Each structure stands twice: as structure tokens, then as C-alpha cells.
Amino acid sequence: MHAPSYSEALELAIDRSYDINLDMLRSQNLHLDTHNDYLVGTYPPLKAMSNLSSEQLLAQIASSIDLYFHIPFCNQHCTFCHFAKEINPSSERVERYLSALDKEMSWSDAALAGKAIETAFFGGGTPSFLTNHQLKTLFGIINKRFDLSKSEVSFELHPSLVKHDDAADRVSTLLSGGVNRLVLGVQTLDRNILRILNRGHGVDEVVRTVKLLNDMGAENLSLDLMYGLPEQTLRSWYDSLIGLLDMGIEKFNIFPLMFKSTDPIARQLARGRYQFAGAKERIVMHFMAEHILTSLGYRHGPIFYWTKRPQPHSVQQRRKYDSWNDNNLVPFGLGGFGYMSQCQFYNEADLDRYLSRVEAGEKPVWKGAVLSHDDLMRRTLMFALRSSGVSLSRFEGQFGVSIEKYFGRELELLSKAGLVRISNDGVLSLTAAGIINSGAISLLFFSDNVLERVAYNDSRITDKRTDLLEKHDYSPAARYGSSAEMQAVFR
């Protein structure tokens, strides 16, 4: 089966974009401008959190859990990245961090003993920054505590991995350590855009990394690809996707560029340094990818995930969005966020504070919130809508109230706007227009109490270009207002 041509994909995508009435959606606050749009990473979001005792996290841990390990080191600062990281640390600094990870894990040894580990995810930063020796140290620390033999174990890679003479040794260490899913951050195959993003790799490194992984028997590979990037055209977007399809890639995470004032790319937007796609063009890019992948037999998973395989894109994503609060995400490392015992929380996001607290014998909880019954309902709805949808009967059975009664006003608004639908078997899900506007839809379900706490903490931020709360708050609440206000903040 051949991929659609550029002209075919473009024509169909433009036709579909006409179905998205941006003026109507904006008038009802159901479409967020590009600089304000963001996905909900946690609920409540960081700006609604306060101090939280770490002991509360151990009170009611689920029988099966997910693990997250943050490796906060990179060779360069990509212009769009706002995750916790340090650029080119010394080997002594890295070794100190790995020792701190070991000590942080000991905090929950007793509470997590005997729990089934469903998934483990290594993110960053750049986890593949670690040398082969450091990777062996990391997996030695982890495997002495956790049995990952029956778990999905995901590890993020950077294409610059193949620049190192020991690249094959590092991959071998990952595979022998239990990694069975690899995520490669490509973003684009446009050489000029890669340079603007300061990615530290070229197209050749992508090709070589994919070949290396294939040669070494790494069968479960997913690639990250972004649209809305600086200087990206509809043609270069098409060419990047087709180029990766020609490599035989069967899994993708395809998502739009999202802005935060703490990132260099936000200042580029505000100052007009590069050309960025507008709302309509981003929609066309979304539909181009959807048409190309669907025509080639790929299935849509959670809103930005695609797979050609019969099984789900990943266990990690299914549990993240569809578990309905009955799983616990346990984070280890700098800036990791988690969910334990009906508490949403973040670890310290400043590396020196993280290290000092762990070395003093503390669990480095930065901020957190104990979720109320109302919070749990809203969190469930937001996350499940982004994946397989919300079963109305399951929701009522779990929370003791009809979703149509509790959220009647919101559902009526979304239904009339064409953003959600209810299937014949009683599943509430997003429409094509709803997927594109998922950030605005989630924001509609924020409680007044949470919005007030967000607004209060946001008002106390003196410099949004450097503040840690601003940097790590993954939500569309209390963003930047109008384009003029955005420019004033981002500059």
C-alpha cells in the first residue's frame, strides 16, 4: 500500500479543516490560541498544589504500580524543552545523582514490596546521555529492588546516541537490563529546523540509530514527531512523516509544539524571529498526518499516539489515561510527578535542592494535593477522554452519580459545539474537532476551587521566564492571555 501523495493529503486535510469553526469555538472559550494551548499533565496542576507530607503517599498504595525514573542530563538545551535538566554535567555530578536515586528508592522499599510493576519509564532530560558504565549502575540499582521481568519497560533515546563509539554497548545494556520499548525523539527530518531547535543531531543520526536498533533486535520502537515547529511548512511536515514511514516505523507519538515562557522557543515566537504555523495550519498538519497514517493501516490510540500493530501503542499510555485512579505512578528523580494514595504530587525540580534533601534522608516531595471525590471525578474524565473514552455506566458505578447529571452543563456545551459524542453503547469520547481542542476541553472541567488556587499562585510569580512553578506546571490554566500579553511575558 502506497502513502497518499502530498497533494492528496493536503487537499483532504484542508477540506476537513473547514469543519472546525474556530470563530465559534473561540467565542465559547473552547479553542485556545497556540501560545495558550497545553495538555493537562496532572490534576490538580502544580499551581494548585501546596505542601504535602510524604508519609501521605504511602497510606493506600495500589496492588499494581507504574514507575518513572527521571534522568536530568543533556548534551544541549533544545529550544522547546522545559523538563528538569542540567547541560553537560561532570561525571562526578552524574554519579552523585545516581547515588541519590538509590537513596530515594529506599524511602518506599517497605511500602512497595510485593507490588506488581506494570510499567517502568525512563525519561528526561536525555536518559541515553548516560555512559554504558552509568547505565549498568542505574539498572543494578533498580533491578535489586524491582522485578521488571513482566513489565513494559520504556526508555527514551536521543539520535545523537550513535555519535558515541559505545552506542551498541549502551543499547545492549538497556536490552539486558529489561528495556523492551524504546522511544526515539526525532521531532523532524528537516535539517534547518533541527538546527533552529538546537537538537544536536541530524537526519543521518536518525537513520543510523533506527538501523542500529533494528540490527540489535529492538522490536518495539516508537518515534516522537512534532508539528507547528519554527519554519516548518506543510511540505516539510509531509516529507518528515513519509521519510520515517519509509524507514518502517510502526509506532508514532505525533503532537503539536506547545509553548512555555521559560523556553527559548517562546521568545522566538514573541519576537517574530521565525515563522510559526497559525491555528488553521496546525489543524491542516494534524489532518494530513491522520489521513496518511489511517490510509496505511495505523490505528489511533490516545489522542497523539499511532500504531500499526494489533496491540495497544503502549501499556504505559493505556494505564496513564484509562486506569481511573486505581493505579499508582511512583516517580523517582528530579522533577518527576506522580500519583499515589489519591495524591497528585511533584518531586523537587531544582537539582541542588533535590540532592540535598535526598542525601539528608528525605523523600524530596516539592508540592502536592490530596484529591477530593470531586477532583477524582474530574481527573478521570479529563484523562479518559484523551484515550478510549468514558463509559457512562462505569463512571456512575465508580462515583455514585451520573456523569450527565454531574457535568450536564459542560457536556451540553461540548455536544452543541461538536466536540464530544456519546456512542450507542454509552461511551463519551472526543470527536475529530474535540481531539484538536482537547486542552480547552480539559480546562472546562477544572473546578472553581482549583482555578482559584491556580490564579492565586500564578499571581505571585514575579518572572515567568525563570520561575520553577511556571516551568513545570503542565496545564492550560492561567496561561498568557492575549497575543499582546503573551509577547510581553515571553520577551
Side-chain angles (χ1 to χ4, degrees), residues 298-366:
Y298 287 76
R299 295 181 296 106
H300 216 171
I303 56 176
F304 298 137
Y305 294 85
W306 292 88
T307 180
K308 201 172 185 179
R309 301 187 179 188
Q311 69 268 34
H313 182 280
S314 69
V315 178
Q316 181 238 357
Q317 293 301 325
R318 176 177 56 79
R319 283 182 55 86
K320 181 177 180 179
Y321 294 120
D322 291 333
S323 59
W324 289 48
N325 306 307
D326 53 7
N327 72 311
N328 281 183
L329 173 60
V330 185
F332 297 109
L334 179 72
F337 61 80
Y339 174 80
M340 298 171 66
S341 303
Q342 297 188 350
C343 298
Q344 189 86 67
F345 68 100
Y346 278 76
N347 271 359
E348 290 281 4
D350 176 88
L351 184 52
D352 288 321
R353 277 194 353 224
Y354 169 83
L355 291 171
S356 63
R357 289 191 63 185
V358 173
E359 290 167 352
E362 301 178 44
K363 168 65 177 173
V365 176
W366 178 25

Coordinates of all heavy atoms in Angstrom, one line a residue, residues 298-366:
Y298 N -2.6 2.3 10.1 CA -2.3 2.7 11.5 C -3.6 3.0 12.3 O -4.6 3.5 11.7 CB -1.4 3.9 11.6 CG 0.0 3.6 11.1 CD1 0.3 3.5 9.8 CD2 1.0 3.5 12.1 CE1 1.6 3.2 9.4 CE2 2.3 3.2 11.7 CZ 2.6 3.1 10.3 OH 3.9 2.8 9.9
R299 N -3.6 2.7 13.6 CA -4.7 2.9 14.4 C -4.4 4.0 15.4 O -3.3 4.1 15.9 CB -5.1 1.7 15.2 CG -5.6 0.5 14.4 CD -6.0 -0.7 15.3 NE -4.8 -1.2 16.0 CZ -4.6 -1.0 17.3 NH1 -5.4 -0.3 18.0 NH2 -3.5 -1.6 17.9
H300 N -5.4 4.8 15.7 CA -5.3 5.9 16.7 C -5.4 5.4 18.1 O -6.4 4.7 18.4 CB -6.4 7.0 16.4 CG -6.0 8.4 16.6 ND1 -6.7 9.4 16.3 CD2 -4.8 8.9 17.1 CE1 -6.1 10.6 16.6 NE2 -4.9 10.3 17.1
G301 N -4.5 5.7 18.9 CA -4.6 5.3 20.3 C -5.0 6.5 21.1 O -5.9 7.3 20.7
P302 N -4.4 6.8 22.3 CA -4.6 8.1 23.0 C -4.3 9.2 22.0 O -3.5 9.0 21.1 CB -3.6 8.0 24.1 CG -3.5 6.6 24.4 CD -3.6 5.9 23.1
I303 N -4.9 10.3 22.1 CA -5.0 11.3 21.0 C -3.8 11.5 20.1 O -4.0 11.8 19.0 CB -5.6 12.6 21.6 CG1 -4.6 13.2 22.6 CG2 -7.0 12.5 22.1 CD1 -5.1 14.6 23.1
F304 N -2.6 11.4 20.6 CA -1.5 11.7 19.8 C -0.7 10.4 19.4 O 0.4 10.5 18.8 CB -0.5 12.7 20.4 CG -1.2 14.0 20.7 CD1 -1.0 14.7 21.9 CD2 -2.0 14.6 19.7 CE1 -1.6 16.0 22.1 CE2 -2.6 15.9 19.9 CZ -2.4 16.5 21.1
Y305 N -1.2 9.3 19.7 CA -0.5 8.0 19.6 C -1.0 7.2 18.4 O -2.2 7.0 18.3 CB -0.5 7.2 20.9 CG 0.3 7.9 22.0 CD1 -0.3 8.9 22.8 CD2 1.6 7.6 22.2 CE1 0.4 9.5 23.7 CE2 2.3 8.3 23.2 CZ 1.7 9.3 24.0 OH 2.4 9.9 24.9
W306 N -0.1 6.6 17.6 CA -0.5 5.8 16.5 C 0.3 4.5 16.4 O 1.5 4.5 16.8 CB -0.2 6.6 15.2 CG -1.1 7.8 15.0 CD1 -0.9 9.1 15.4 CD2 -2.3 7.8 14.3 NE1 -1.9 9.9 15.0 CE2 -2.8 9.1 14.3 CE3 -3.1 6.9 13.6 CZ2 -4.0 9.5 13.7 CZ3 -4.3 7.2 13.0 CH2 -4.7 8.6 13.1
T307 N -0.3 3.4 16.1 CA 0.4 2.2 15.9 C -0.2 1.4 14.8 O -1.4 1.4 14.5 CB 0.3 1.3 17.2 OG1 1.0 0.1 17.1 CG2 -1.2 1.0 17.6
K308 N 0.7 0.6 14.1 CA 0.2 -0.3 13.1 C 0.1 -1.7 13.6 O -0.3 -2.6 12.9 CB 1.3 -0.3 11.9 CG 0.7 -0.7 10.6 CD 1.7 -0.5 9.5 CE 1.1 -0.8 8.1 NZ 2.1 -0.6 7.0
R309 N 0.4 -1.9 14.8 CA 0.4 -3.3 15.4 C -1.0 -3.5 16.0 O -1.7 -2.6 16.4 CB 1.5 -3.4 16.4 CG 2.9 -3.2 15.9 CD 3.9 -3.5 16.9 NE 5.3 -3.4 16.3 CZ 6.4 -3.7 16.9 NH1 6.3 -4.3 18.1 NH2 7.6 -3.5 16.3
P310 N -1.4 -4.8 16.2 CA -2.7 -5.1 16.7 C -2.8 -4.8 18.2 O -3.9 -4.4 18.7 CB -2.8 -6.6 16.5 CG -1.4 -7.1 16.4 CD -0.7 -6.0 15.7
Q311 N -1.7 -4.8 19.0 CA -1.8 -4.5 20.4 C -1.8 -3.0 20.6 O -1.5 -2.2 19.6 CB -0.6 -5.1 21.1 CG 0.7 -4.5 20.8 CD 1.4 -5.3 19.7 OE1 0.8 -5.8 18.8 NE2 2.7 -5.4 19.8
P312 N -2.1 -2.5 21.8 CA -2.1 -1.0 22.0 C -0.8 -0.4 21.8 O 0.3 -1.1 21.8 CB -2.5 -0.9 23.5 CG -3.3 -2.2 23.8 CD -2.6 -3.2 22.9
H313 N -0.7 0.9 21.6 CA 0.5 1.6 21.4 C 1.5 1.3 22.5 O 2.7 1.0 22.2 CB 0.3 3.1 21.3 CG 1.5 3.9 21.0 ND1 2.4 4.3 22.0 CD2 2.0 4.5 19.9 CE1 3.4 5.0 21.5 NE2 3.1 5.1 20.2
S314 N 1.0 1.4 23.7 CA 1.9 1.0 24.9 C 1.0 0.8 26.1 O -0.1 1.4 26.2 CB 2.9 2.1 25.2 OG 2.3 3.3 25.7
V315 N 1.5 -0.1 27.0 CA 0.8 -0.3 28.2 C 0.8 0.9 29.1 O -0.1 1.3 29.8 CB 1.4 -1.5 29.0 CG1 0.7 -1.7 30.3 CG2 1.3 -2.8 28.1
Q316 N 1.9 1.6 29.0 CA 2.1 2.8 29.8 C 1.0 3.9 29.5 O 0.5 4.5 30.4 CB 3.5 3.4 29.6 CG 3.8 4.7 30.4 CD 4.1 5.9 29.5 OE1 4.2 5.8 28.3 NE2 4.3 7.0 30.2
Q317 N 0.8 4.1 28.3 CA -0.2 5.1 27.9 C -1.6 4.7 28.3 O -2.5 5.4 28.7 CB -0.2 5.4 26.4 CG 1.1 6.1 26.0 CD 1.3 7.4 26.7 OE1 0.3 8.2 27.0 NE2 2.5 7.8 27.0
R318 N -1.9 3.4 28.1 CA -3.2 2.9 28.5 C -3.5 3.0 30.0 O -4.5 3.4 30.4 CB -3.4 1.4 28.1 CG -4.7 0.7 28.5 CD -4.8 -0.7 28.0 NE -3.7 -1.5 28.4 CZ -3.5 -2.1 29.6 NH1 -4.4 -1.8 30.6 NH2 -2.5 -2.8 29.9
R319 N -2.5 2.7 30.8 CA -2.6 2.8 32.2 C -2.7 4.3 32.7 O -3.4 4.6 33.6 CB -1.5 2.1 32.9 CG -1.7 0.6 32.9 CD -0.7 -0.2 33.6 NE -0.5 0.2 35.0 CZ -1.2 -0.3 36.1 NH1 -2.2 -1.1 35.9 NH2 -0.8 0.1 37.3
K320 N -1.9 5.1 32.0 CA -1.9 6.5 32.3 C -3.3 7.2 32.2 O -3.7 8.0 33.0 CB -0.9 7.2 31.5 CG -0.8 8.7 31.8 CD 0.4 9.3 30.9 CE 0.5 10.8 31.2 NZ 1.6 11.4 30.4
Y321 N -4.0 6.8 31.1 CA -5.2 7.5 30.7 C -6.5 6.7 31.1 O -7.5 7.3 31.3 CB -5.3 7.8 29.2 CG -4.2 8.8 28.8 CD1 -3.2 8.5 27.9 CD2 -4.2 10.1 29.4 CE1 -2.3 9.4 27.5 CE2 -3.2 11.0 29.0 CZ -2.3 10.6 28.1 OH -1.3 11.6 27.7
D322 N -6.4 5.4 31.1 CA -7.6 4.6 31.3 C -7.8 3.9 32.6 O -8.7 3.1 32.7 CB -7.7 3.6 30.1 CG -8.0 4.2 28.8 OD1 -8.6 5.3 28.8 OD2 -7.6 3.7 27.7
S323 N -6.9 4.1 33.5 CA -6.9 3.3 34.7 C -7.9 3.8 35.8 O -8.1 3.1 36.8 CB -5.5 3.3 35.4 OG -5.1 4.6 35.7
W324 N -8.4 5.0 35.6 CA -9.4 5.5 36.5 C -9.0 5.6 38.0 O -9.7 5.1 38.9 CB -10.7 4.7 36.3 CG -11.4 4.9 35.1 CD1 -10.9 4.9 33.8 CD2 -12.8 5.2 34.8 NE1 -11.8 5.2 32.9 CE2 -13.0 5.4 33.5 CE3 -13.9 5.4 35.7 CZ2 -14.2 5.6 32.9 CZ3 -15.1 5.7 35.1 CH2 -15.3 5.8 33.8
N325 N -7.8 6.1 38.2 CA -7.4 6.4 39.6 C -7.0 5.1 40.4 O -6.7 5.2 41.6 CB -8.4 7.2 40.4 CG -8.8 8.5 39.7 OD1 -7.9 9.2 39.3 ND2 -10.1 8.7 39.5
D326 N -7.0 3.9 39.7 CA -6.8 2.7 40.5 C -5.3 2.2 40.3 O -5.0 1.1 40.7 CB -7.8 1.6 40.2 CG -7.8 1.3 38.7 OD1 -7.0 1.9 37.9 OD2 -8.7 0.5 38.3
N327 N -4.5 3.0 39.7 CA -3.1 2.7 39.6 C -2.3 3.8 40.3 O -2.8 4.9 40.5 CB -2.6 2.5 38.2 CG -2.5 3.9 37.5 OD1 -3.5 4.6 37.5 ND2 -1.4 4.1 36.8
N328 N -1.1 3.5 40.7 CA -0.2 4.5 41.3 C 1.0 4.7 40.5 O 1.7 3.7 40.1 CB 0.2 4.0 42.7 CG -0.8 4.3 43.8 OD1 -0.6 4.0 45.0 ND2 -2.0 4.7 43.4
L329 N 1.3 5.9 40.1 CA 2.6 6.3 39.4 C 3.6 6.7 40.4 O 3.4 7.8 41.1 CB 2.3 7.3 38.3 CG 3.5 7.9 37.6 CD1 4.3 6.8 36.9 CD2 3.1 9.0 36.7
V330 N 4.7 6.0 40.5 CA 5.7 6.3 41.6 C 6.9 6.9 40.9 O 7.6 6.2 40.1 CB 6.1 5.0 42.4 CG1 7.0 5.4 43.5 CG2 4.8 4.3 42.9
P331 N 7.2 8.2 41.1 CA 8.3 8.8 40.4 C 9.6 8.8 41.3 O 9.5 8.9 42.5 CB 7.8 10.2 40.2 CG 7.0 10.5 41.4 CD 6.4 9.2 41.8
F332 N 10.7 8.6 40.6 CA 12.0 8.8 41.3 C 12.9 9.7 40.5 O 13.0 9.6 39.2 CB 12.7 7.4 41.4 CG 12.0 6.4 42.3 CD1 11.3 5.3 41.7 CD2 11.9 6.6 43.7 CE1 10.6 4.4 42.5 CE2 11.2 5.7 44.4 CZ 10.6 4.6 43.9
G333 N 13.5 10.7 41.1 CA 14.3 11.6 40.5 C 13.8 13.0 40.4 O 12.7 13.3 40.8
L334 N 14.6 13.9 39.8 CA 14.4 15.3 39.8 C 13.1 15.6 39.0 O 13.0 15.2 37.8 CB 15.6 16.0 39.1 CG 15.5 17.5 39.0 CD1 15.6 18.2 40.3 CD2 16.6 18.0 38.0
G335 N 12.2 16.4 39.5 CA 11.1 16.9 38.8 C 10.0 15.9 38.4 O 9.1 16.2 37.6
G336 N 10.1 14.7 38.8 CA 9.1 13.7 38.5 C 7.8 14.0 39.1 O 7.8 14.4 40.3
F337 N 6.7 13.8 38.4 CA 5.4 13.9 39.1 C 4.7 12.5 39.2 O 4.9 11.7 38.3 CB 4.5 14.9 38.4 CG 4.1 14.6 37.0 CD1 3.1 13.7 36.6 CD2 4.8 15.3 35.9 CE1 2.8 13.5 35.3 CE2 4.4 15.1 34.6 CZ 3.4 14.2 34.3
G338 N 4.0 12.4 40.2 CA 3.4 11.0 40.5 C 2.0 11.1 41.1 O 1.5 12.2 41.4
Y339 N 1.4 9.9 41.2 CA 0.1 9.8 41.8 C 0.1 8.6 42.7 O 0.2 7.5 42.2 CB -1.0 9.7 40.7 CG -2.4 9.4 41.2 CD1 -3.2 10.4 41.7 CD2 -2.9 8.1 41.2 CE1 -4.5 10.2 42.1 CE2 -4.2 7.9 41.7 CZ -4.9 8.9 42.1 OH -6.2 8.6 42.6
M340 N 0.0 8.8 44.0 CA 0.0 7.7 45.0 C -1.0 8.0 46.1 O -1.2 9.2 46.5 CB 1.4 7.6 45.6 CG 2.5 7.3 44.6 SD 4.2 7.4 45.4 CE 4.1 6.1 46.6
S341 N -1.8 7.0 46.5 CA -2.7 7.1 47.6 C -3.7 8.3 47.4 O -3.9 9.0 48.3 CB -2.0 7.2 48.9 OG -1.1 6.1 49.1
Q342 N -4.1 8.5 46.2 CA -5.1 9.5 45.8 C -4.4 10.9 46.1 O -5.1 11.9 46.4 CB -6.4 9.4 46.5 CG -7.1 8.1 46.1 CD -8.5 8.0 46.6 OE1 -9.0 8.8 47.4 NE2 -9.3 7.0 46.1
C343 N -3.1 11.0 45.9 CA -2.4 12.3 46.0 C -1.7 12.5 44.7 O -1.0 11.6 44.2 CB -1.4 12.3 47.1 SG -2.1 12.1 48.8
Q344 N -1.8 13.7 44.1 CA -1.0 14.1 43.0 C 0.1 15.0 43.5 O -0.1 15.9 44.3 CB -1.9 14.9 42.0 CG -1.3 15.2 40.7 CD -1.5 14.1 39.6 OE1 -2.6 13.8 39.2 NE2 -0.4 13.4 39.3
F345 N 1.3 14.7 43.0 CA 2.5 15.5 43.6 C 3.6 15.6 42.6 O 3.7 14.8 41.6 CB 2.9 14.8 44.9 CG 3.6 13.4 44.7 CD1 4.9 13.3 44.7 CD2 2.8 12.3 44.5 CE1 5.5 12.0 44.5 CE2 3.4 11.1 44.3 CZ 4.7 10.9 44.3
Y346 N 4.6 16.4 43.0 CA 5.8 16.6 42.2 C 7.0 16.4 43.2 O 7.0 16.9 44.3 CB 5.9 18.0 41.7 CG 5.2 18.3 40.4 CD1 3.8 18.4 40.4 CD2 5.9 18.4 39.2 CE1 3.1 18.7 39.2 CE2 5.2 18.7 38.0 CZ 3.8 18.8 38.0 OH 3.2 19.1 36.8
N347 N 8.1 15.9 42.6 CA 9.4 15.9 43.3 C 10.0 17.3 43.1 O 9.6 18.0 42.2 CB 10.3 14.8 42.7 CG 10.2 13.5 43.4 OD1 9.4 13.4 44.4 ND2 10.9 12.5 43.0
E348 N 11.0 17.6 43.9 CA 11.8 18.8 43.8 C 12.3 18.9 42.3 O 12.7 18.0 41.7 CB 13.0 18.8 44.7 CG 12.6 19.0 46.2 CD 12.3 20.4 46.6 OE1 12.3 21.3 45.7 OE2 12.1 20.6 47.8
A349 N 12.2 20.2 41.8 CA 12.6 20.4 40.4 C 13.9 21.2 40.3 O 14.4 21.4 39.2 CB 11.5 21.2 39.7
D350 N 14.5 21.5 41.4 CA 15.8 22.1 41.5 C 16.8 21.1 41.9 O 16.7 20.4 42.9 CB 15.9 23.3 42.5 CG 17.2 23.9 42.6 OD1 17.6 24.8 41.8 OD2 18.0 23.5 43.5
L351 N 17.9 20.8 41.0 CA 18.7 19.7 41.3 C 19.5 19.8 42.6 O 19.6 18.8 43.3 CB 19.7 19.5 40.1 CG 20.7 18.3 40.1 CD1 19.9 17.0 40.3 CD2 21.5 18.2 38.9
D352 N 20.0 20.9 42.9 CA 20.7 21.0 44.2 C 19.8 20.8 45.4 O 20.2 20.1 46.4 CB 21.4 22.4 44.3 CG 22.6 22.5 43.4 OD1 23.3 21.6 43.2 OD2 22.7 23.6 42.8
R353 N 18.6 21.3 45.3 CA 17.6 21.0 46.4 C 17.2 19.5 46.5 O 17.1 19.0 47.6 CB 16.4 21.9 46.3 CG 16.6 23.3 46.8 CD 15.3 24.1 47.0 NE 14.1 23.6 46.5 CZ 13.2 24.4 45.8 NH1 13.5 25.6 45.5 NH2 12.0 23.9 45.4
Y354 N 17.1 18.9 45.3 CA 16.7 17.5 45.3 C 17.9 16.7 45.9 O 17.6 15.9 46.8 CB 16.5 17.1 43.8 CG 16.5 15.6 43.6 CD1 15.3 14.9 43.9 CD2 17.6 14.8 43.3 CE1 15.3 13.5 43.7 CE2 17.6 13.5 43.2 CZ 16.4 12.8 43.4 OH 16.4 11.4 43.3
L355 N 19.1 17.0 45.5 CA 20.2 16.2 46.0 C 20.4 16.4 47.5 O 20.6 15.4 48.3 CB 21.5 16.6 45.3 CG 21.6 16.2 43.9 CD1 22.9 16.9 43.2 CD2 21.7 14.7 43.7
S356 N 20.3 17.6 48.0 CA 20.5 17.9 49.4 C 19.4 17.2 50.3 O 19.7 16.7 51.4 CB 20.5 19.4 49.7 OG 19.3 20.0 49.4
R357 N 18.1 17.2 49.8 CA 17.1 16.6 50.6 C 17.2 15.1 50.6 O 17.0 14.5 51.7 CB 15.7 17.0 50.0 CG 15.3 18.5 50.3 CD 13.9 18.8 49.9 NE 13.0 18.0 50.8 CZ 11.6 18.0 50.6 NH1 11.1 18.7 49.6 NH2 10.9 17.3 51.4
V358 N 17.5 14.5 49.5 CA 17.6 13.1 49.5 C 18.8 12.6 50.3 O 18.7 11.7 51.1 CB 17.8 12.5 48.0 CG1 18.1 11.1 48.0 CG2 16.5 12.8 47.2
E359 N 19.9 13.3 50.2 CA 21.1 13.0 51.0 C 20.9 13.2 52.4 O 21.6 12.5 53.3 CB 22.3 13.8 50.4 CG 22.8 13.3 49.1 CD 23.7 14.3 48.4 OE1 23.9 15.4 48.9 OE2 24.2 13.9 47.3
A360 N 19.9 14.0 52.8 CA 19.6 14.2 54.2 C 18.6 13.1 54.7 O 18.1 13.2 55.9 CB 19.0 15.6 54.4
G361 N 18.2 12.2 53.8 CA 17.3 11.1 54.2 C 15.8 11.4 54.0 O 14.9 10.7 54.5
E362 N 15.5 12.5 53.2 CA 14.1 12.8 53.0 C 13.6 12.3 51.7 O 14.4 12.1 50.7 CB 13.9 14.4 53.0 CG 14.3 15.1 54.3 CD 14.2 16.6 54.1 OE1 13.2 17.0 53.6 OE2 15.1 17.3 54.5
K363 N 12.3 12.1 51.6 CA 11.6 12.0 50.3 C 11.5 13.4 49.7 O 10.8 14.2 50.3 CB 10.3 11.3 50.4 CG 9.4 11.3 49.1 CD 10.0 10.6 48.0 CE 9.0 10.6 46.8 NZ 9.6 10.0 45.6
P364 N 12.0 13.7 48.5 CA 12.0 15.0 48.0 C 10.7 15.5 47.4 O 10.7 16.0 46.3 CB 13.2 15.0 47.0 CG 13.0 13.6 46.4 CD 12.7 12.7 47.6
V365 N 9.6 15.5 48.1 CA 8.4 16.0 47.6 C 8.4 17.5 47.6 O 8.7 18.1 48.7 CB 7.2 15.5 48.5 CG1 5.9 16.1 48.0 CG2 7.1 13.9 48.4
W366 N 8.1 18.1 46.5 CA 8.1 19.5 46.4 C 6.7 20.1 46.7 O 6.5 20.9 47.6 CB 8.5 19.9 44.9 CG 8.5 21.3 44.6 CD1 8.7 22.4 45.4 CD2 8.4 21.9 43.3 NE1 8.6 23.6 44.8 CE2 8.5 23.3 43.4 CE3 8.2 21.4 42.0 CZ2 8.4 24.2 42.3 CZ3 8.2 22.2 40.9 CH2 8.2 23.6 41.1

